[in-house]
DNA sequence: CCGCATCCCGTACGATACTG
DNA sequence: CAGTATCGTACGGGATGCGG
């Protein structure tokens, strides 16, 4: 067990604002983390995201994108043209989340190495 | 936008094993991250975890603990005595996740600073 | 004290069809 | 192309009671 000194128990009182729970809530949603991941690479159009995440239906994708916008993690640019063109990208806050995504990915890779999983 | 060079598009093909999706799935569950957080501080008894997360009912807590055990993130020690005593702690793999938790917490604190939230 | 079994409910998610 | 609307289902998660 590692040192406990620098591991404050921030959530002891449930009424306090708890960073861990906040983050947990922000990224709760089947496609939120994948969406953020793909947007961390480059800005994407709606159809691109659909193509990248075939399991996500349009409705769900749209819903989670809107939630991420409301949470200030991503932004949306609508080009006024026909056919329509929309681009999603990370907001400034979302950009700061890429470091978290990198850590998650790295950890995930190690995890996979240890427990060879078949199911994605 | 930051450099894209080192941001591989690991999930392009949905059949591949994707670290991001794996992690996303592992921590999906309302109390998983808080559980891991509390266990990163010290080993905990079941009743302690209940006390720390008043919103989580016994059933749900038990279920998510078992899932974390199945995913090799935590371990359980049962003391053969009456009244029963059980202790949960991070596994070796779980220990390696504490660095992720720290990053999540730090990011969460910054997020809260930026968008003063009321709801926990 | 631990925690499973059961019941119940809300909602997250997926599929499909339709609109600008 | 980029959604919204609607519907049906599955699952997550809360409450309670019992049993070890």
């Amino acid at each position: 067990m590692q040192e406990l000194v620098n591991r404050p128990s921030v959530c002891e009182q449930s009424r306090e604002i708890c960073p861990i729970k906040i983050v947990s809530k922000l990224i709760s949603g089947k496609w939120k983390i994948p969406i953020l991941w793909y947007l961390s690479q480059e800005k994407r159009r709606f159809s691109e995201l659909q193509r990248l995440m075939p399991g996500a239906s349009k409705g769900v994708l749209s819903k989670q994108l809107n939630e991420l916008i409301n949470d200030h993690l991503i932004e949306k640019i609508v080009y006024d043209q026909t056919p329509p063109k929309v681009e999603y990208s990370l907001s400034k806050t979302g950009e700061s989340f890429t470091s978290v995504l990198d850590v998650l990915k790295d950890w995930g890779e190690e995890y996979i190495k240890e427990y060879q999983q078949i199911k994605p």
Side-chain angles (χ1 to χ4, degrees), chain A:
Chain A
M1 186 72 81
Q2 69 187 88
E3 279 195 70
L4 301 179
V5 182
N6 289 320
R7 304 195 61 73
S9 188
V10 286
C11 299
E12 291 291 341
Q13 307 304 324
S14 64
R15 45 189 146 228
E16 287 180 42
I17 294 172
C18 170
I20 285 289
K21 283 186 197 156
I22 297 273
V23 176
S24 180
K25 194 171 179 58
L26 285 180
I27 61 179
S28 79
K30 189 167 178 181
W31 304 100
K32 295 258 181 86
I33 293 181
I35 288 171
L36 291 170
W37 174 256
Y38 286 123
L39 294 184
S40 76
Q41 296 164 351
E42 51 186 307
K43 59 180 185 251
R44 305 276 193 180
R45 301 184 59 170
F46 188 84
S47 52
E48 278 186 273
L49 293 171
Q50 265 194 280
R51 180 178 51 77
L52 292 165
M53 293 169 282
S57 69
K58 287 202 273 189
V60 173
L61 199 52
S62 175
K63 183 158 177 281
Q64 307 213 348
L65 283 166
N66 284 326
E67 289 174 4
L68 288 169
I69 291 172
N70 288 331
D71 291 335
H72 309 96
L73 286 171
I74 69 174
E75 284 162 357
K76 173 182 180 176
I77 301 174
V78 181
Y79 296 86
D80 191 9
Q81 64 181 50
T82 45
K85 177 179 172 182
V86 174
E87 278 178 347
Y88 293 91
S89 60
L90 294 186
S91 68
K92 191 158 180 304
T93 304
E95 286 289 343
S96 74
F97 195 71
T98 55
S99 57
V100 180
L101 291 170
D102 287 334
V103 175
L104 283 173
K105 187 196 63 110
D106 290 343
W107 186 88
E109 284 171 355
E110 291 304 312
Y111 182 88
I112 291 169
K113 272 188 211 165
E114 201 159 350
Y115 311 99
Q116 284 298 349
Q117 311 248 343
I118 310 301
K119 303 186 65 177

